[in-house]
Structures are given as C-alpha cells and as structure tokens.
Amino acid sequence: MRLRFKLLLKSINAGQLAVFSIASLIGTIIVLLGIWTYSEVGQITENQNNIFKGQYLVITKPVSSVGTIASLIVKDANPSAFSDSEIAKLESVEGVNDIAPFSSSCFDVHGYAEFIGIDLSTKMFLESVPDRFLDIPLQDWKADISDREIPVIVPRTYLDFYNYGFAASNTVPQISEGLVSAVSLRIRLDGNGMSGTYSCRIAGFSDRINSILVPESFLSQANRLFGSKAEAPVRMIVETAPNGFSNVSEFIADHGYTIEGGGETARLATVLKRVLMAVIAVGAIFSVLAFVLLLVTVMLMIERNRAKNAILSSLGYTRKAIAAPYQLLAIGMDLVTCILATAGALLLKPLISSIMEQLSPAGVPAHNGTIVLLAVIMFVLSAALHTITIFRKSR
Amino acid sequence: MDRITLAGVIPAALSETVPGCQSDIWGRVLSFDKGRSVLIRAASGHGKTTLCCFLSGLRSDYSGTISFDGRNIRLLDDSLWADVRCRQLAVMYQDLKLMDELSAVDNILLKTALCPDCRLQDITDMLKRLGIDDATMKRPVNTLSLGQQQRVAFVRMLVQPAQIRVLDEPVSHLDPENASIMAAMLEETCSKDGSAVIVTSTGYDLPYRYDRTIQM
C-alpha cells in the first residue's frame, strides 16, 4: 500500500483538494448547525411558550356594522357565530390538527373580588374549552355544579392589567402569581329563576386563551340548570400541525375570519422555519457540491493514472487493491473535513443558542450529542458513497 | 498451471491475412508445457508482443481459444487473473511496464508485495549481478538507460513464483555479456522451480537452451 500511495501522491492536485476542503467545511458546518437548530427546536416545543410548535389559534368572525344592525332587528341572528358546516370545513383544512368551539355561559354571571379591603364587582361571562387545549397543569381541573368551590383560569393579561394599570394608578399593592390565592373571588350565577354562588380558586394564568375559563363539565351543567337556549359558538380554538400554519392562515384569510392574538407569532414562526430550511438547503448544496468536487478530483486522478493502474493490473493487483489508495484518500479527506466542521459547529453553537434563547424562554439544551451524531452520519454517508463510486469507476 | 494451449488463435487485426500466411502459431493448435523452453522468432510486426498480451490477459481481441490447463482464459475474472499474474505466470513485457517515478528496487518491491517470499537482499543481489549498483538501483527508473530498465524488468519477472515465464524480446537493448548473465539467472531459477520459458526474439536471441524454436 505504501508504494501505491506514493504513486498516488505524485498525481494529487493540491489546489482542487483545497477547494474541496473549504467548500465541504463551509457546507458541513452550515448543515450541522442548521439541522442541530431544527432538531433542538423540536425538543424545545415541549414547552408551550415558544414559537416553533404547532400553533393554537383562536378564530373569530369580524364584527361588522351590518351584522350588529341585523342582530338588533332579528333577535336570534348572530352573524359572528360559526355554523356546523363552517366548523366542518375548518376541521378539514390541511394543517389543522385539532379544533373545538368555545362554550359560553348562557345565563347571568356576576363576579366579586375582595383584596386588602378593596371590593370589586362586575357582570361577566364564563367560557370553557376541552382540557386538551389548555396551557396549564390539569391536576384538580374539575368541578361539579354541586361543588361550592370551582377552579378558574384567568388570562395572564388580566393580572398584568391589574398590576401595571389599576394598582399603579390607584396606589394599591400589586399581586404576584403566588399571592393570588389571597384574593377572595366569588361568582353568582342567575337564570331560570334560580341562583348559585361559588368560591373561585385561580388554577392558573393562561397565555393562550384570553377568557375566563371554567371546567367544561361545570359549564355544561350550569348551562342546563341556569341557562336558556344554547347559542352557536362564536369563537373556535384550532391547533395547527407544526408546519400547518401557513395553510390554515390562508384558509382563514380567504374566508374573512380573524385570528385573535398569536397570529403574528405564528407567522414569525413560519418565516423562521422557512429561513432555517433555506439555510439547511444552502448548506446541503455546499456539501453536495463539495462531495461531487472531491469525487471529480479523484476521478481525474484515476484517469491521469490510467496507465499506472494498467501496470498494477498487469502485475497482479486486483481492481479492489488498485482502488484502495484512492478510496483511502477520499475517506481521509471526508474524515478531516468532518472533524474540522464538527469543531467549527461546536464553536459557533453558543452564538446560535443565544439567538434561540431569545425566541424560547425555556432555553436551548446545551448538549453537543446531536452535532457529533450528525457529523458521524454525514461522514459515514459521504465515505460510503465515495468508496462505492470510486470502486465502480476504477476499471 | 502446467500447460498453456492455443487452438486456432488468430488476432483480430490479422484475421484477413493469416489464412494465407505461413505461421507456426496463428491458426494452429500448440501447447507450452511446464519444464519446457520455447523460442518464438519472428520479424517485427508479426505479433510476438500481441501473443504475450493474449497470454497475460491484457488483450482479448482474437478468435480461437487460449486455455490454461484446459480452462478458457476468457472465463477468468478479475480476481482469478490477479492470482494467475501473482503465482503462475511471470511476464517480462517488451515495453517493460515500469513505474517511472519509482526506483528500481521499489518497482520490484511493488511486485513482491503480492508474493512476499522474496527478500530485499535477494533482489539487490540479483540487480548487482546484472551490473546495477546500489546507487543506481535507488534512482527513479526514468533516469536509467533502456538497458538498465530492461534488467530491472527482468529481475521483477524472475522474483515472483511462476510455472510459466514469458519474456518478450528480453535482450533487445542488452550487450551479449549481460544477455549471458540473464540467461544464466533464468536457467538457475527454472531449474529450481521447473517453470516453462517462452522467449520471443527478432533474431538477437537470449542465449538459453531452448527445447524448441517456432517461426511465427
């Protein structure tokens, strides 16, 4: 092998190999970091508060002047309500993972709050959605109409309104999430000539749903007991598939619906995902070009050495033995490039992590296993393809 | 391998002219047996080198059949040919087939890497016997004279184990003295391993004891 490699070294084109190394290095680093980012993003999606997971969208119909006038004239008409056929259409849109209507209270609800001597009361409403759409822990998230205390979920923005709006302007203490249990909340439900009073326990603050939620079972029982005729839903909650937002948003725009909050985030997520895909594609193109360049370089060397290879064959060397030094050269180049690219990617990773952390409050996992595993896979693939192709061409 | 048989072999390039020409090889049935020596003599252009290329499997543009111990050589695959060239058939080609960038010794080591029975000391002894000194044998062969290159190719052919040795115009660039040394070395080797010898010549022959001379 030493003598055959000595012969090979005399025909090496250092310039071509240098171009290969640079192109391959750049391409591999981009691919490693791109795929790593994409895969780590997949792990981050376990956390709800990020922009990369399938999105939860609250969909409504816009309120128009004509619709308002129509609902005044015809008492039962609600132009903002979703019909069964509209819901069925939404369900069938590609990219919709799950969908459910908001259930609303169809009876009178009064809320009372008391905190360090401040009393608040207001007429309000209650809603519910299936548990699978909630973004808080679900333990103790159940209630029966006969219970005296029920759990409620409040939008986080309500707490922010109180702390940074009401409390600041009225010079009263702010409330942390931990202290919120100190607030005494009660609701009174009235309808069908009956009434019921319940203590409320704040089970959590939702970033996803901008409404006061009670357990679905409780609301359905309360509607039966206190309510009048159930109305068609006016808000729908939709969970999109991880890459389904663009399709769903297109459908929503085409049908004149609107997305309550979250839409901008989802659009940003879609754009970022596409940018990430484009970056990976550019890296992949670099890598493929580098792969082909090395292959062409080795092929040219085989062609230049055709006479020498013929002599080796006449001496008794098999085709496999003749191809071996070229294969070793290609594998060696692949290995060196992969090692350097892995080192480069690991050096650049903190930079990407810091950007990712701004998009995902939960942070980015710090382990390097994905990059190393990807590098090994790329090396094995590249080396195997080079080995096979060189053998086939070394006749 | 004990026998090479040619049966009606005619090179494609000569297929038009051979039927009418006088040749003891083309179109005939003949054998080369282990332990025997044959001189094939012909003027240039009669196909001596072509025959050597047919026997070593480098060319197959002929009609008829060449067989090793009854086995048609057209049926040998890459690995079988490699085995034949390593252990059974040693050829000294007319164009020598040396690697220009390698030294004389390295050219021979390139061969012995496949049949590692031969020691480096044996190689250098043989080269010295043929008048190639230590300094010369370490130089790239493209800096050697044609005669020196011919002797390097001869040693490379001699160091490998074989049952049949083919030498294509082995002394065309050598003086009678070196030709005699070469013949003596060949004689010593063949008497040890009993290999057959097939030598071609245009008239200036390797001075060897031939059992048969064939006019091509």
Side-chain angles (χ1 to χ4, degrees), chain A residues 1-4 6-7 10 307-320, chain B residues 58 78-79 82-83 85-86 93 97-99 101-102 106-107 109-111 113-114 156:
Chain A
M1 181 62 95
R2 180 185 67 81
L3 289 171
R4 279 176 287 154
K6 194 172 168 182
L7 282 170
K10 289 183 185 295
K308 287 180 191 169
N309 293 340
I311 291 175
L312 287 173
S313 177
S314 74
L315 293 179
Y317 283 89
T318 60
R319 205 174 128 203
K320 194 175 160 188
Chain B
L58 300 187
D78 178 61
S79 61
D83 186 64
R85 290 165 188 158
C86 284
Y93 295 96
K97 296 197 186 301
L98 296 171
M99 298 288 189
E101 302 94 329
L102 298 183
D106 279 348
N107 262 286
L109 288 176
L110 197 60
K111 179 75 195 188
L114 295 169
R156 186 181 64 184

Side-chain angles (χ1 to χ4, degrees), chain A residues 311-386:
Chain A
I311 291 175
L312 287 173
S313 177
S314 74
L315 293 179
Y317 283 89
T318 60
R319 205 174 128 203
K320 194 175 160 188
I322 293 169
Y326 300 95
Q327 290 169 326
L328 265 182
L329 175 72
I331 291 171
M333 295 294 295
D334 287 333
L335 184 64
V336 169
T337 306
C338 261
I339 290 172
L340 291 178
T342 307
L346 291 176
L347 282 175
L348 289 172
K349 201 189 79 170
L351 186 69
I352 308 287
S353 292
S354 65
I355 297 169
M356 293 291 298
E357 275 162 11
Q358 290 173 23
L359 301 174
S360 170
V364 180
H367 57 80
N368 301 322
T370 311
I371 287 180
V372 176
L373 181 67
L374 275 172
V376 169
I377 291 171
M378 285 183 74
F379 163 68
V380 170
L381 268 178
S382 185
L385 283 171
H386 277 138

Side-chain angles (χ1 to χ4, degrees), chain A residues 47 50-51 82 89 99 110 118 121 123 129-130 137 161 172 182 188 221 228 245 274 316 322 350 354 364 366 379:
Chain A
N47 169 21
N50 73 83
I51 63 170
F82 287 90
K89 265 189 189 175
I99 184 169
H110 285 84
I118 302 166
S121 70
K123 189 165 182 176
V129 293
F161 281 147
V172 293
R188 199 184 79 228
Q221 290 173 33
S228 49
F245 174 76
R274 285 181 182 170
I322 293 169
S354 65
V364 180
F379 163 68

